[in-house]
Amino acid sequence: MKAVILVGGLGTRLRPLTWNTPKSLVPVLNRPFLEYVLRHLKEQGIDEIVLALSNLAVPIKECFGNGHHLGVKLVYVVEESALGTAGAFKNASELLTDTFFVLNGDVFSLLDFHSMLEFHKRQNSLVTIATIPVDDPTPFGLVETAPDKRITRFLEKPMPIEVTTNFINAGAYILEPSVLDSIPYDTTYSAEKQLFPNLLANNGRLFAFPSTGYWIDIGNPQKYRDLNFDLLSGQGDCDFHGKQEVIIGDGCQIHPQTKLEGPVLVGDNCVIEEGAVISGPVVIGNNCHVGERAFITDSIIWNETTIATGCRFISSIAATGCELQAGSCAEKAILADYVTLIENFRLTSGSVIEPQQILG
Ligand code: GTP
């Protein structure tokens, strides 16, 4: 059975991290996010995967190629301009002649696709939507159901007073190919806001498949941090890096007089100098340099970044190629690619800095 993964969105809520890096490639424990989604599909025996691309298509293709290294067969379908979540799989119609899965490409979950498919068939469903309970459903799309799980109503981003269930659309669907006939060609069309409500209004058999377990949508920086730190601390059933507290990549030079308090992940070819303190949770990418007496905590650092002598980097994210010169500080900050903080500059807490800015 085929799965289409939607990875063509703009990722606006995750900017400025996603100006150069598509959301599907942002590093999670130093691996591109989409790799986790592909591995989960493969583990469940789904290895024919269509990636629906639009924005920043080239780096995604370059990263995953034909999927061979992950044991999956990848095919790419590229929209000239973004067609929306339903327009994206309409654009792949020729490849979708049988029942198929659709997954949002920004969701990490441990959904049981086999059980979902069995449920879909048992219910003779046209569209089955995985749902998940969350504490606060107001930022999401609510899915109301009858006791037999037939969907009765969709409610996008409800007001607190409108909340009738805490089950939300989990961003994973099974569709019958006939659904494609309800989507216009070459038109921007949303699955959540147009296709599904229209099918429901026409008495289509739409069912919810309620699931539980770890689920997170990395749509914004807070959720992106949460996923990294959850996986780092062993949640999410992810043991790509084993269960060690401090994991150091290949080719690193770590001075013996440093303090690394887990959970900490350091990528390959990093240098950590004397007196540096790294207090987890912290993820550091490849080819990074941490200078003498630098202090880093509660942070994510992508590749090729320097946190020089005496810097403090607290509860922050630095993308690729950033340079914090000696004595500079950042707290609760997000630094996009190639940001420089000049010597001894103290960035205002909570700052979000666009790519290539030099501050100081
Ligand atoms: P925001 O701009 O922050 O809302 O992010 P987004 O549009 O990238 O993500 P959203 O949560 O709105 O979309 C859910 C999933 O669908 C993400 O994996 C997106 O990459 C993907 N997606 C959204 N719009 C399109 C589209 O027009 N084409 C394709 N191929 N994928 C899309």
Side-chain angles (χ1 to χ4, degrees):
M1 202 169 142
K2 282 184 184 155
V4 182
I5 311 182
L6 308 176
V7 285
L10 291 172
T12 43
R13 289 164 297 148
L14 206 49
R15 283 182 189 155
L17 298 173
T18 43
W19 279 122
N20 304 321
T21 305
K23 191 160 45 169
S24 49
L25 296 190
V26 294
V28 172
L29 303 194
N30 295 340
R31 291 163 185 263
F33 172 74
L34 191 63
E35 186 176 320
Y36 294 83
V37 183
L38 295 173
R39 283 180 188 272
H40 181 54
L41 282 168
K42 161 79 181 159
E43 274 162 22
Q44 305 242 332
I46 302 167
D47 61 1
E48 282 190 67
I49 298 164
V50 179
L51 292 186
L53 311 174
S54 175
N55 176 53
L56 292 173
V58 173
I60 299 176
K61 284 184 176 177
E62 282 178 357
C63 181
F64 292 105
N66 63 9
H68 184 70
H69 65 294
L70 295 171
V72 294
K73 293 178 215 96
L74 291 182
V75 175
Y76 298 91
V77 178
V78 185
E79 299 140 53
E80 266 177 38
S81 63
L83 288 173
T85 46
F89 53 83
K90 174 75 173 183
N91 193 44
S93 296
E94 283 177 12
L95 302 167
L96 305 171
T97 50
D98 209 346
T99 309
F100 60 97
F101 280 95
V102 174
L103 306 182
N104 280 359
D106 56 355
V107 169
F108 180 104
S109 84
L110 301 172
L111 283 179
D112 178 348
F113 295 126
H114 281 294
S115 305
M116 186 170 168
L117 183 59
E118 274 170 26
F119 173 86
H120 176 85
K121 288 187 174 152
R122 204 164 52 240
Q123 302 292 353
N124 193 24
S125 178
L126 182 65
V127 174
T128 299
I129 299 178
T131 58
I132 191 96
V134 292
D135 292 339
D136 175 16
T138 53
F140 298 102
L142 281 194
V143 182
E144 291 180 2
T145 59
D148 68 351
K149 303 299 171 216
R150 189 157 175 173
I151 295 172
T152 51
R153 189 162 79 125
F154 295 105
L155 202 52
E156 274 297 312
K157 301 191 173 62
M159 309 273 285
I161 196 171
E162 296 175 303
V163 172
T164 50
T165 170
N166 62 341
F167 276 87
I168 59 153
N169 177 341
Y173 320 113
I174 299 178
L175 285 85
E176 290 305 309
S178 60
V179 167
L180 295 167
D181 298 336
S182 307
I183 307 171
Y185 273 109
D186 296 329
T187 306
T188 305
Y189 206 67
S190 161
E192 307 84 344
K193 297 190 192 114
Q194 292 170 288
L195 176 65
F196 298 154
N198 288 349
L199 292 171
L200 193 63
N202 289 313
N203 285 324
R205 288 180 66 79
L206 277 68
F207 282 82
F209 177 74
S211 41
T212 50
Y214 190 84
W215 181 92
I216 196 164
D217 148 9
I218 61 154
N220 63 45
Q222 183 57 48
K223 297 287 182 184
Y224 169 66
R225 283 162 51 93
D226 289 349
L227 177 63
N228 272 273
F229 295 160
D230 287 350
L231 296 188
L232 195 60
S233 62
Q235 287 185 61
D237 203 22
C238 159
D239 62 354
F240 290 152
H241 296 281
K243 294 276 184 259
Q244 296 141 272
E245 275 286 279
V246 175
I247 303 141
I248 309 289
D250 295 335
C252 290
Q253 296 169 43
I254 315 280
H255 192 281
Q257 255 81 60
T258 53
K259 195 163 163 197
L260 272 59
E261 302 167 322
V264 168
L265 171 65
V266 178
D268 296 338
N269 305 315
C270 292
V271 176
I272 303 182
E273 295 198 67
E274 184 174 0
V277 175
I278 301 179
S279 176
V282 170
V283 180
I284 297 179
N286 300 326
N287 308 314
C288 290
H289 194 119
V290 179
E292 291 176 15
R293 289 172 283 100
F295 175 70
I296 303 173
T297 188
D298 190 35
S299 293
I300 300 168
I301 295 167
W302 295 8
N303 297 338
E304 275 110 41
T305 279
T306 295
I307 310 283
T309 301
C311 285
R312 292 174 65 78
F313 196 68
I314 298 170
S315 303
S316 295
I317 302 173
T320 303
C322 291
E323 184 187 0
L324 272 77
Q325 295 182 357
S328 59
C329 302
E331 186 164 351
K332 296 184 185 151
I334 299 178
L335 313 183
D337 297 325
Y338 302 103
V339 166
T340 301
L341 302 189
I342 297 289
E343 265 187 31
N344 296 320
F345 180 70
R346 300 178 76 87
L347 190 61
T348 307
S349 175
S351 298
V352 176
I353 310 298
E354 295 291 313
Q356 290 170 317
Q357 300 292 306
I358 300 174
L359 301 166

